[in-house]
Amino acid sequence: MARTVGSSGPKTAQSIREAGLRLIYRHGYEAMSLRQLGTEVGIQSGSLYNHIASKQALLVEIVLDHMQTLIARLDAALDGVEGPAARLEAFCRLHLTYHMTRRAEVVIANMELRSLEPDNRAAAVALRDAYETRLTDILREGAACGQFHIEDARVTTFAIIAMLTGICMWYRPDGPRSQEELIRIHTELAMRSVTGG
């Protein structure tokens, strides 16, 4: 992908981020080299430092942006939704839709936590915990009012998220089931897991 003549700094920075996302997803963080990234963008590897501080900084940006976007979208999806059942359904819809359409970001955020330096990893984990806590709060609310029958809200949170996140590993837009059908099926599974229905 050759750099466009006269491209601006912000445009090049965006190209670097997009190329980094593709390469890390395809090859893994450790295997991706800055030379490879520069070639993908169409600039010398040394010129990358005009736009990113380091390879680690690029990974941090991708992971934190993913988590911040996911949290912001969840908060918007839950805004004004009343009752634990409706809120759980809204959580499932948002989580599934995001994970079906942002596979590269999801895979990198999950698989490359190991590649983050300690402070960066702590920041990513704190955001992940904040996201998970939103679901835990929904489950606790449902249990408190008798709508949900769960033994441990945190364990149930991890189980539901693991089930819903798995869709990004096998979903294909041209598959036999539409996004809406898959959202319905997964949401029903999640609801039955907490209601016993």
Side-chain angles (χ1 to χ4, degrees), residues 1-3 34-45 48:
M1 174 186 199
R3 182 180 179 189
L34 290 180
R35 178 174 300 206
Q36 190 179 26
L37 179 58
T39 299
E40 184 84 2
V41 178
I43 63 176
Q44 296 293 319
S45 58
L48 290 169

Side-chain angles (χ1 to χ4, degrees), residues 5-159:
V5 175
S7 63
S8 66
K11 183 176 178 182
T12 301
Q14 182 63 26
S15 295
I16 290 168
R17 188 185 185 286
E18 290 170 358
L21 181 68
R22 286 192 305 273
L23 291 170
I24 295 170
Y25 173 64
R26 191 179 308 143
H27 304 292
Y29 174 77
E30 296 299 337
M32 184 197 77
S33 70
L34 290 180
R35 178 174 300 206
Q36 190 179 26
L37 179 58
T39 299
E40 184 84 2
V41 178
I43 63 176
Q44 296 293 319
S45 58
S47 297
L48 290 169
Y49 293 109
N50 293 324
H51 305 280
I52 59 172
S54 64
K55 181 178 162 182
Q56 176 74 189
L58 176 62
L59 178 62
V60 171
E61 180 185 340
I62 290 169
V63 172
L64 296 188
D65 180 64
H66 155 74
M67 287 306 308
Q68 290 162 349
T69 300
L70 187 56
I71 290 171
R73 290 188 183 182
L74 176 60
D75 288 345
L78 293 175
D79 186 41
V81 179
E82 298 295 333
R87 290 174 69 77
L88 178 55
E89 289 174 1
F91 176 92
C92 291
R93 170 170 290 279
L94 180 279
H95 191 92
L96 289 161
T97 301
Y98 185 97
H99 285 67
M100 283 189 278
T101 57
R102 303 282 294 267
R103 181 176 179 174
E105 289 92 335
V106 171
V107 170
I108 290 170
N110 288 332
M111 298 302 295
E112 298 297 350
L113 273 179
R114 63 190 175 194
S115 300
L116 291 172
E117 294 169 359
D119 288 349
N120 297 329
R121 186 179 190 283
V125 169
L127 288 171
R128 184 188 65 191
D129 290 347
Y131 180 77
E132 292 169 348
T133 296
R134 284 158 169 76
L135 176 55
T136 303
D137 289 345
I138 292 169
L139 296 175
R140 286 182 175 145
E141 179 189 357
C145 70
Q147 287 188 23
F148 298 161
H149 307 288
I150 55 177
E151 182 176 343
D152 186 307
R154 288 299 285 169
V155 171
T156 306
T157 293
F158 299 145

